[in-house]
């Protein structure tokens, strides 16, 4: 029966069933099993810690196909062989890289003991920037093994932003129409977020995509997936979303998650220092800097909250949306200042005007 990535009866995923039907494939029958994560969504996932006195492993139920798993396996092996610390996918006793139990796929990796990257620890953040540069630099020529689903990204940034920009304008019309508390807050902060969106769209229209470097990208390079072990070594985990893509997508995602926080709210110096260390290993060109600026400029949270609110206005928890919108808008001024400063930084670096 071919594998299909879908949800299954949660009883099948009990710790007892995992111990009885999955662990024997790895000769781990005498290990303890603890479920540490479970998401019963369309992409159903489960994570278990498998331990005995001496060893610990991570067992994951994955939500994608065998062909996609082969791509992920290829990515992890490539990085491991290029001295990037990653938990490898371990073989079963029959030399397979996965277990198929009741048409569900499971993979086993070593358990990495460590602390997740702290965005409030400058040294952690800078090391994470260096590590990402190393990942990108060593995967310029990455090729997955035969039989893999060749995962790619390559989103057209200009087309995507134009679509989002139009949705923002639609939300403004709906805000005038409804005039409720959410809408009043939205309109109060609309002008500053519109400036950010317009700038992002204008700059995106000037980017030459052929100048954007292509590499293997993690695409979820955030603090929970960046670990520091007891010896200070940095590990990268969870390559479930990895694809061949523009490296600036990966880098921008990392920076945006870092900068939008309350404690690091759009800290220009921090962003420049991260990029400097990245470039010490793998320099960026003008079009790539423009793409990073575009990713960071667009008011992603403001757009998404507003779109979701007006798409579900008759059935959503309005107070929750108001709380989210207020939190998002509390840093709009910092965001604007950051984008102005980052624009000047790029113009000084490349001795040119961006727009």
């Amino acid at each position: 029966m071919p594998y299909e990535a879908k949800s299954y009866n949660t009883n099948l995923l009990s710790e007892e069933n995992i111990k009885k039907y999955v662990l024997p494939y790895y000769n781990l029958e005498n290990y303890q099993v603890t479920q540490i994560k479970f998401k019963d969504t369309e992409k159903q996932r489960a994570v278990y810690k498998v331990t005995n006195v001496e060893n610990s492993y991570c067992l994951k139920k994955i939500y994608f196909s065998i062909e996609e798993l082969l791509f992920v396996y290829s990515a992890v092996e490539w990085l491991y062989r290029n001295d990037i610390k990653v938990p490898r996918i371990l073989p079963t006793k029959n030399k397979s890289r996965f277990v198929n139990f009741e048409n569900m796929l499971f993979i086993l990796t070593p358990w990495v003991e460590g602390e997740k990257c702290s965005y409030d620890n400058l040294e952690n953040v800078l090391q994470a920037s260096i590590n990402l540069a190393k990942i990108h630099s060593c995967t310029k020529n990455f090729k997955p093994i035969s039989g893999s689903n060749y995962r790619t990204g390559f989103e057209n940034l200009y087309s995507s932003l134009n679509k989002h920009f139009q949705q923002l304008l639609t939300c403004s019309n709906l805000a005038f129409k409804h005039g409720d508390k959410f809408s009043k807050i939205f309109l109060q902060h609309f002008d500053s977020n519109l400036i950010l969106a317009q700038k992002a769209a204008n700059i995106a229209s000037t980017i030459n995509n052929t100048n954007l470097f292509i590499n293997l990208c993690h695409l979820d390079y955030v603090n929970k997936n960046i670990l520091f072990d007891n010896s200070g070594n940095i590990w990268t985990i969870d390559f479930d979303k990895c694809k061949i893509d523009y490296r600036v997508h990966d880098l921008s995602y990392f920076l945006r998650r870092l900068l939008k926080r309350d404690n690091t709210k759009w800290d220009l110096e921090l962003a420049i220092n991260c990029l400097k260390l990245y470039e010490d290993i793998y320099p960026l060109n003008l079009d790539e800097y423009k793409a990073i600026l575009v990713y960071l400029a667009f008011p992603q949270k403001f757009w998404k909250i507003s779109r979701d609110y007006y798409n579900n206005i008759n059935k959503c928890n309005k107070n929750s949306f108001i709380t989210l919108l207020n939190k998002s808008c509390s840093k709009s001024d910092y965001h604007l200042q950051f984008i102005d400063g980052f624009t000047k930084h790029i113009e000084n670096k490349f001795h040119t005007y961006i727009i």
Side-chain angles (χ1 to χ4, degrees):
M1 182 178 180
Y3 173 76
E4 296 179 37
K6 60 181 182 180
S7 296
Y8 293 86
N9 187 325
T10 56
N11 292 331
L12 289 173
L13 293 166
S14 69
E15 294 163 341
E16 293 76 15
N17 277 340
I18 294 300
K19 186 170 184 177
K20 185 175 180 180
Y21 297 110
V22 178
L23 294 192
Y25 285 93
Y26 295 101
N27 289 325
L28 299 176
E29 293 94 327
N30 296 321
Y31 281 62
Q32 296 299 311
V33 180
T34 306
Q35 187 179 87
I36 59 170
K37 185 177 181 180
F38 178 68
K39 287 190 176 181
D40 194 18
T41 60
E42 184 180 347
K43 296 180 177 180
Q44 191 186 59
R45 281 164 279 181
V47 180
Y48 306 85
K49 188 172 185 179
V50 180
T51 59
N52 73 358
V53 175
E54 297 179 348
N55 298 304
S56 297
Y57 299 95
C58 178
L59 182 76
K60 290 175 65 175
K61 175 196 178 293
I62 60 172
Y63 57 86
F64 40 80
S65 67
I66 292 172
E67 292 76 16
E68 289 189 271
L69 173 57
L70 291 176
F71 183 94
V72 173
Y73 167 73
S74 303
V76 170
E77 281 297 302
W78 186 285
L79 292 168
Y80 172 80
R81 295 174 189 189
N82 281 277
D83 299 320
I84 305 294
K85 291 194 178 298
V86 291
R88 301 172 80 189
I89 298 175
L90 300 173
T92 67
K93 60 186 180 184
N94 297 323
K95 307 302 180 186
S96 174
R97 296 292 167 171
F98 61 88
V99 172
N100 190 332
F101 163 57
E102 294 288 343
N103 209 29
M104 298 183 289
L105 295 186
F106 294 84
I107 59 172
L108 186 76
T109 67
W111 184 270
V112 180
E113 288 289 352
E115 297 290 329
K116 72 178 182 181
C117 174
S118 169
Y119 286 148
D120 295 321
N121 182 322
L122 179 60
E123 185 61 29
N124 273 194
V125 171
L126 297 180
Q127 286 299 315
S129 303
I130 294 169
N131 186 58
L132 186 58
K134 290 178 178 178
I135 288 172
H136 291 163
S137 181
C138 78
T139 58
K140 298 172 189 174
N141 302 310
F142 168 72
K143 290 182 176 59
I145 61 175
S146 177
S148 301
N149 180 354
Y150 195 73
R151 288 173 157 194
T152 58
F154 309 131
E155 175 186 51
N156 186 310
L157 198 51
Y158 180 60
S159 297
S160 175
L161 279 182
N162 264 342
K163 178 182 176 183
H164 295 169
F165 184 76
Q166 293 304 316
Q167 288 171 337
L168 264 183
L169 296 179
T170 299
C171 286
S172 71
N173 291 333
L174 291 170
F176 280 112
K177 175 184 173 182
H178 290 285
D180 58 3
K181 186 175 181 180
F182 180 96
S183 299
K184 289 175 181 176
I185 297 169
F186 173 89
L187 291 171
Q188 181 184 347
H189 295 278
F190 179 69
D191 287 349
S192 58
N193 283 282
L194 183 64
I195 291 169
L196 288 164
Q198 285 176 322
K199 184 157 191 171
N202 290 340
I203 296 171
S205 70
T206 72
I207 295 172
N208 181 350
N209 285 352
T210 62
N211 289 334
L212 303 182
F213 277 65
I214 295 169
N215 301 96
L216 176 71
C217 292
H218 186 284
L219 297 180
D220 197 17
Y221 193 74
V222 295
N223 63 332
K224 67 177 181 178
N225 293 327
I226 307 164
L227 303 179
F228 290 87
D229 67 21
N230 293 332
S231 300
N233 298 308
I234 187 168
W235 290 75
T236 310
I237 65 171
D238 195 353
F239 283 82
D240 289 357
K241 296 181 180 177
C242 69
K243 292 180 182 178
I244 307 294
D245 203 347
Y246 300 126
R247 60 171 171 158
V248 288
H249 186 182
D250 225 11
L251 183 52
S252 302
Y253 188 77
F254 166 67
L255 289 172
R256 187 164 63 196
R257 286 291 290 267
L258 168 67
L259 295 169
K260 69 180 185 178
R261 301 168 59 253
D262 289 339
N263 287 358
T264 48
K265 48 191 172 191
W266 299 106
D267 185 328
L268 179 61
E269 183 180 0
L270 177 61
I272 290 172
N273 286 336
C274 288
L275 288 168
K276 182 181 182 301
L277 288 173
Y278 182 98
E279 287 201 88
D280 285 345
I281 294 167
Y282 199 3
L284 298 154
N285 61 45
L286 175 58
D287 282 298
E288 292 182 305
Y289 260 95
K290 285 183 180 180
I292 294 169
L293 178 58
V294 167
Y295 274 114
L296 296 181
F298 188 80
Q300 183 82 7
K301 202 75 174 175
F302 184 80
W303 156 75
K304 188 176 186 302
I305 293 167
S306 307
R307 180 202 62 183
D308 292 349
Y309 177 78
Y310 290 113
N311 282 344
N312 300 280
I313 191 167
N314 294 321
K315 54 185 178 182
C316 69
N317 184 328
K318 294 189 177 185
N319 287 332
S320 295
F321 271 94
I322 289 168
T323 300
L324 289 170
L325 185 63
N326 275 323
K327 185 175 181 181
S328 170
C329 293
S330 67
K331 294 185 281 292
S332 293
D333 290 343
Y334 292 98
H335 194 180
L336 276 168
Q337 290 170 17
F338 171 87
I339 293 303
D340 287 343
F342 192 43
T343 301
K344 290 173 184 174
H345 171 74
I346 298 170
E347 290 176 339
N348 291 336
K349 179 180 177 67
F350 292 97
H351 309 290
T352 187
Y353 288 108
I354 292 179
I355 51 173

